[in-house]
Amino acid sequence: MAIPMRSWLFAPGDSEKKMAKAAASETDIVIFDLEDAVATEVKPEARRMVAEALSGADNPERLWVRINPFESDMPLLDLAAVMPARPGGIVLPKAEGPQDIVRLDHTLSALEAAHDIELGSTPVMALVTETAASMFEAGNYAGAPRLAAMSWGAEDLSDSIGAQSNVDENGRFDPAYELARTLCLLGAARAGVTAIETIQTDFRDTEGLARRASAMRRQGFGGMLAIHPAQVDPINTAFTPGEDEIAAARMVVQLFADNPGLGTIGHGGKMYDRPHLSRAQQLLASLPED
């Protein structure tokens, strides 16, 4: 059964304590980070520590690793170190198009074969808006191998375009970053994978986080990145359908089952059509099995 993807909690790969704390949290997916959270000079030791953390885990399928981008000379070193420990998935930063996913797929296939891991079993989440060039490729990931989710980032994009900030005086993302969010959402929909909202840097503002996560779910995102364990519960709550929502979805599905052949049905003073049915079916399909 596919694991849920509501919350994705980063933990720096050079901290045994933070990796252990993240793994013990209620987050759906832990991301052991070998990229931005780890200084260059300690990356070799961080690779060893991440591999050790993976090897001793009871549930490695929820323990993913963010490797360094292909623009560097480090991703092969990252993968060679962690793949023998069978991570649950790989997060690829600064992806600039489906060709990067294909390149990663080839490397993963070779390492899976070398370590007796089922071929194709290591999924990928791509960060698809972290450079100016990547923005023009966000809608082209349909059919990319192994791709399970797409997310976006504002901080690296700021650096890529030379911006002094990515928010306005009220703390709202500027237009370029709202565009990045939208392109990620639409690109993920086209690719048939889960769209994941980017981080909220102020981890103390859990009320604001809850509002934002709820708004992102309404827009179509399926989960959100987190940088602190305190953010996990608000994210999980926001991306979990409520009982009333589940009941309404079941009602819509049953309504169309009872009226086969109809494209539009009036019920309870409302009109329901096929898009309503599709959304209801998607919601019910996302629920964990009993």
Side-chain angles (χ1 to χ4, degrees), residues 83 86-89 105 108-109 112 116-124 146:
M83 283 303 293
R86 301 171 182 250
D105 170 57
L108 289 173
S109 293
E112 286 168 342
D116 197 26
I117 301 170
E118 181 183 353
L119 288 178
S121 63
T122 309
V124 170
R146 300 176 183 268

Side-chain angles (χ1 to χ4, degrees), residues 40 62 85 236:
T40 300
R62 62 186 282 268
N236 282 347

Side-chain angles (χ1 to χ4, degrees), residues 82-125:
V82 304
M83 283 303 293
R86 301 171 182 250
I90 298 296
V91 176
L92 179 65
K94 297 182 178 66
E96 293 201 332
Q99 71 279 359
D100 284 349
I101 310 302
V102 172
R103 182 179 177 184
L104 178 56
D105 170 57
H106 291 164
T107 303
L108 289 173
S109 293
L111 289 168
E112 286 168 342
H115 298 287
D116 197 26
I117 301 170
E118 181 183 353
L119 288 178
S121 63
T122 309
V124 170
M125 190 265 268

Side-chain angles (χ1 to χ4, degrees), residues 192-204:
V193 301
T194 304
I196 305 299
E197 169 65 349
T198 194
I199 63 168
Q200 176 167 300
T201 54
D202 184 359
F203 61 84
R204 295 179 181 86

Side-chain angles (χ1 to χ4, degrees), residues 179-240:
L179 175 61
R181 171 187 277 157
T182 301
L183 289 174
C184 174
L185 178 62
L186 296 176
R190 185 183 180 208
V193 301
T194 304
I196 305 299
E197 169 65 349
T198 194
I199 63 168
Q200 176 167 300
T201 54
D202 184 359
F203 61 84
R204 295 179 181 86
D205 183 13
T206 53
E207 291 184 4
L209 171 66
R211 290 193 297 271
R212 176 176 162 189
S214 294
M216 292 303 100
R217 179 167 179 259
R218 287 195 301 273
Q219 290 186 23
F221 284 88
M224 185 170 178
L225 302 177
I227 58 171
H228 191 279
Q231 296 180 315
V232 169
D233 185 62
I235 291 173
N236 282 347
T237 298
F239 286 97
T240 300

Side-chain angles (χ1 to χ4, degrees), residues 229-262:
Q231 296 180 315
V232 169
D233 185 62
I235 291 173
N236 282 347
T237 298
F239 286 97
T240 300
E243 290 301 320
D244 290 347
E245 192 175 358
I246 295 171
R250 287 175 173 155
M251 180 273 293
V252 170
V253 171
Q254 189 62 50
L255 197 61
F256 279 89
D258 292 341
N259 296 274
L262 292 183

Side-chain angles (χ1 to χ4, degrees), residues 129-148:
T129 69
E130 294 188 305
T131 69
S134 68
M135 296 277 282
F136 297 92
E137 294 289 341
N140 294 330
Y141 285 88
R146 300 176 183 268
L147 192 64

